[in-house]
Amino acid sequence: MKEQLYFLNMILFSFLISCCNDDDMMIKEPDGMVVDCSEMDCSTQEDFYGVGVMNGECWESDFNHLEIFDSSWKLMITLGKEESNGIDGRLFFIINELTSLSDTIWLGFSYSNVSTPNLIASVGYTYLEDHSIVGDFDFSPDDELTYNDFLIIDYFNQDTSIVEGHFQVRFPQRSVNHFVNAPDSMNIQCGRFRVSEY
């Protein structure tokens, strides 16, 4: 019985998605939700970079990379920061194969092994010590989309594997070990990046 209800819900969902015009469902830039970034100068001279305003302060990644997959993931963008005491922080975006890179991509919780057609990408900020996770900021399956957290791909060249974009995210969940020097909350605004496949 549960399988039949699940199947009927999937058919109904597919019908609703197919009958709607993309212009009605998605806008290129979220209106009224974006901070005026022209007043915040967090620039860099690097060819490849990740910058933004984290909790009101300029933040710049120390390393970044792009991974392009052939499986259910389309792209994984990582912006890394060497934090302190041998602990690295990594902001990552995982975009699945069904997500259009020409629309606004909403950030939240998404199972990485399940392709969802509703333009949701997984995002998180993870602290690593010797390849072990010692803390993170992220979203849980119970968190609803705010439509304030977004990623927009401004440029993607498949020949050179270069991706540029901008984003904004406020993480609702914090789970960090006591020895990690992490803020109480994490809000990144005016985020920009230019990354390439390594």
Side-chain angles (χ1 to χ4, degrees):
M1 180 69 174
K2 286 183 182 179
E3 291 177 9
Q4 291 172 336
L5 287 174
Y6 176 76
F7 182 71
L8 288 172
N9 282 335
M10 291 305 294
I11 291 173
L12 179 61
F13 180 74
S14 298
F15 173 76
L16 290 174
I17 292 294
S18 66
C19 73
C20 297
N21 184 337
D22 285 344
D23 294 336
D24 295 336
M25 294 177 58
M26 204 56 54
I27 52 177
K28 183 62 178 163
E29 183 85 35
D31 288 333
M33 299 176 202
V34 181
V35 176
D36 182 9
C37 297
S38 64
E39 297 177 10
M40 300 180 184
D41 184 25
C42 295
S43 58
T44 182
Q45 300 300 315
E46 302 294 325
D47 289 336
F48 298 100
Y49 57 85
V51 296
V53 178
M54 181 185 289
N55 298 336
E57 307 258 332
C58 282
W59 176 88
E60 182 176 351
S61 65
D62 297 317
F63 55 92
N64 55 71
H65 58 86
L66 167 70
E67 294 178 70
I68 301 174
F69 298 95
D70 293 327
S71 63
S72 63
W73 295 359
K74 181 183 281 187
L75 300 172
M76 181 171 178
I77 299 164
T78 303
L79 309 176
K81 182 82 172 163
E82 295 171 4
E83 299 290 348
S84 62
N85 300 328
I87 296 174
D88 292 336
R90 295 183 185 198
L91 174 65
F92 63 87
F93 305 93
I94 299 174
I95 303 168
N96 74 46
E97 65 182 357
L98 298 179
T99 301
S100 169
L101 300 181
S102 62
D103 283 320
T104 301
I105 301 169
W106 304 114
L107 300 175
F109 182 86
S110 178
Y111 292 102
S112 60
N113 60 346
V114 177
S115 295
T116 54
N118 50 355
L119 297 173
I120 300 172
S122 291
V123 62
Y125 192 98
T126 299
Y127 292 95
L128 296 173
E129 181 181 45
D130 295 326
H131 304 289
S132 297
I133 296 175
V134 293
D136 56 24
F137 287 88
D138 59 10
F139 290 80
S140 78
D142 298 328
D143 295 323
E144 293 185 18
L145 286 178
T146 65
Y147 298 101
N148 292 326
D149 306 306
F150 65 89
L151 167 66
I152 295 176
I153 302 298
D154 298 313
Y155 174 81
F156 179 34
N157 186 323
Q158 289 183 311
D159 294 331
T160 61
S161 298
I162 293 175
V163 176
E164 297 176 8
H166 64 283
F167 64 93
Q168 173 176 297
V169 61
R170 178 187 301 267
F171 292 104
Q173 304 290 325
R174 180 187 191 272
S175 176
V176 179
N177 285 325
H178 65 88
F179 58 86
V180 178
N181 184 20
D184 293 334
S185 62
M186 187 173 290
N187 179 20
I188 304 174
Q189 298 170 305
C190 303
R192 295 180 295 112
F193 61 84
R194 184 173 193 260
V195 298
S196 68
E197 191 172 21
Y198 65 92

